[in-house]
Amino acid sequence: MIIPKKNYKNLIKYSKYEINSMQPKILTGWKKAKDCHIWDFSNHKLIDFTSSIFVSNIGHSNSEFKKKIIKTLNSPISHSYNYFNYPRAEYTKSLIKFLNNKKLNKCYLLSSGTEALEATIKLMRLYGQRSKFSKEKNGIISIKGNWHGRTMGAQMLGGKTLQSSWIGFHDKNMFHLNFPYPWETSSKNSQKFFENSLKKCFKKKLNFKKRITGFILEAFQGWGAFFYPLEYIEAIKKFCKKNKILIAIDEMQSGFGRTGYKFLYEYYKLDPDIVCCGKAMGSGLPISGVISSSKIMNIPKIGDMSSTHSANPLVCSAGLATLEVIKKKKLVYRSKKLRMLFKKQLEKIQYSFPNLIKMINCKGLIAAIIFKDLKKIKGKEIADMVTTKCYENGLLVVNTGRESIKLGPPLIISRKLLLKSTKIIFDQIKKIQKYLKQHTKIFVQHKNIYSAL
Ligand SMILES: Cc1ncc(COP(=O)(O)O)c(C=O)c1O
């Protein structure tokens, strides 16, 4: 756990009645949040470069958003089980219209991202089992290291990791390909990379048409904001078309304008069969969704796929208000436009500290800085130091728990605040570099950089 210099240690008392795993990576609590700013329990003001983990694309406590949900809250209905309600009808129509894709004409609303992935696995398998090619068309291919959530199916999609070891068995119908990291493939050879990883994964030959029903990919790999080379996506498309395999894209982080597109599949020129979304969809209220075509969505029988809290009036109003703000403030366009400035500033940082930074990735208003493992200090420790120092100097970044930090401000951020934020990152990395040059030995001995800095 990262403990910023100010003494926040007493905050640990707040975890007394909670599961340990809910403790934050940075020991702090939020008192209030407005637009692009957060105030912590000590009234320390921070620029939010996390968008509350890519939820607050429209900014915190947006007044139009609040007005809309307060209106619903004050109306004489707070839940309608699976019976229709007006906000739900209005929202589903608006959501489908927002996607503006003839094929994606139906949605299934849920509460969390991980549920959307579970539902996707179910839909793909239900679809595959009706295939004319074989009743065993059950297999799902996904990509190692991608992140899809914490429930069993969703966690299985990320491949065998320490985090998924609790599952205790391997579903023989789930297959994992390697992620095309930039150091393993260039865009020119990414088709070959795809073919090789297929060969590696399927050592025993498999009739894909008869056995594989779906391919699920995270729109970009989260911890490093790694995007796929377009050729790699082309290879997936060709493979899936040839073998009658459905493609699902997990747009949990990338959706609703984050990358300068409504959804990242537009950039990839991918025509997905299923889109999974959540996070920014409700700007803080728990709503997620699976969006697909009638041919898939009409398969489950009434009652086979529903959930107590899905599509309740309040979350649907939140979804509706979110779409309205995105449209009114042209946030998709804004995110695309600000990318130039954001990328330029991050490149400046990268070129200024080539000994510390391995690479930066950026699209729209999502970026990652990936740190190098040095002889005496790991990239993860550098990332922790940058997180801490940024926090102390008024900027909250996403600490990925790995050798990277992730940056994703609300899409309403001004150019001025964006510049101020990247300057904080620059200044703190500069200080850390200086410190490391002078004190590497001390750091190695005491392992307590936070009090020393
Ligand atoms: C790409 C992706 N998919 C799925 C999820 C799971 O979403 P949730 O935490 O709402 O269950 C996340 C959450 O971080 C995510 O980033």
Side-chain angles (χ1 to χ4, degrees), residues 112-115 117 147-150 218 250 252-253 279:
S112 68
T114 200
E115 280 176 287
L117 269 299
W147 177 252
H148 298 285
R150 289 181 174 83
E218 187 180 1
D250 177 347
M252 221 55 66
Q253 294 192 22
K279 289 197 186 269

Side-chain angles (χ1 to χ4, degrees), residues 110-170:
L110 288 149
S111 309
S112 68
T114 200
E115 280 176 287
L117 269 299
E118 297 290 341
T120 298
I121 295 170
K122 186 165 172 179
L123 284 167
M124 283 180 153
R125 286 191 164 165
L126 287 174
Y127 182 81
Q129 285 160 7
R130 291 160 55 114
S131 161
K132 62 179 182 202
F133 302 112
S134 147
K135 295 286 159 278
E136 284 178 292
K137 200 168 162 70
N138 256 331
I140 290 182
I141 300 178
S142 54
I143 297 190
K144 274 183 214 164
N146 280 0
W147 177 252
H148 298 285
R150 289 181 174 83
T151 50
M152 195 152 85
Q155 200 144 51
M156 277 178 171
L157 291 174
K160 269 194 210 161
T161 61
L162 201 59
Q163 277 184 320
S164 65
S165 59
W166 63 273
I167 295 170
F169 72 97
H170 177 68

Side-chain angles (χ1 to χ4, degrees), residues 23 72 157 172 179 197 233 268 280 358 426 432 446 450:
Q23 282 180 18
T72 306
L157 291 174
K172 289 197 185 85
F179 189 91
S197 69
I233 296 286
Y268 291 131
K358 183 170 173 178
F426 182 95
I432 289 165
H446 297 297
Y450 310 117

Side-chain angles (χ1 to χ4, degrees), residues 78-89 91-92 107-111 286-288 306-317:
S78 45
H79 196 254
S80 70
Y81 179 32
N82 61 6
Y83 299 102
F84 298 122
N85 61 66
Y86 292 126
R88 166 176 159 190
Y91 180 53
T92 49
C107 63
Y108 171 34
L109 299 180
L110 288 149
S111 309
I287 182 166
S288 66
S306 74
S307 171
T308 302
H309 291 295
S310 63
N312 78 65
L314 196 63
V315 298
C316 288
S317 298

Side-chain angles (χ1 to χ4, degrees), residues 306-402:
S306 74
S307 171
T308 302
H309 291 295
S310 63
N312 78 65
L314 196 63
V315 298
C316 288
S317 298
L320 202 54
T322 301
L323 290 182
E324 282 169 8
V325 177
I326 289 176
K327 281 185 257 176
K328 193 168 162 198
K329 297 200 167 180
K330 299 188 172 57
L331 293 184
V332 180
Y333 174 67
R334 194 175 167 72
S335 151
K336 187 173 231 158
K337 221 173 93 188
L338 283 173
R339 177 195 182 226
M340 297 288 279
L341 179 68
F342 196 23
K343 191 155 187 258
K344 204 169 125 201
Q345 297 310 308
L346 293 172
E347 278 169 355
K348 259 191 219 165
I349 296 175
Q350 183 184 14
Y351 298 142
S352 305
F353 308 106
N355 49 342
L356 292 185
I357 295 175
K358 183 170 173 178
M359 66 172 68
I360 57 142
N361 293 315
C362 176
K363 195 169 291 297
L365 285 176
I366 174 76
I369 302 180
I370 297 150
F371 296 96
K372 289 180 178 171
D373 280 338
L374 305 180
K375 255 192 195 156
K376 294 193 170 169
I377 182 165
K378 293 267 180 223
K380 179 194 174 320
E381 288 169 300
I382 302 172
D384 284 353
M385 286 158 66
V386 175
T387 309
T388 314
K389 294 314 289 176
C390 282
Y391 189 93
E392 288 168 3
N393 287 278
L395 181 76
L396 182 68
V397 301
V398 180
N399 182 276
T400 62
R402 297 190 51 147

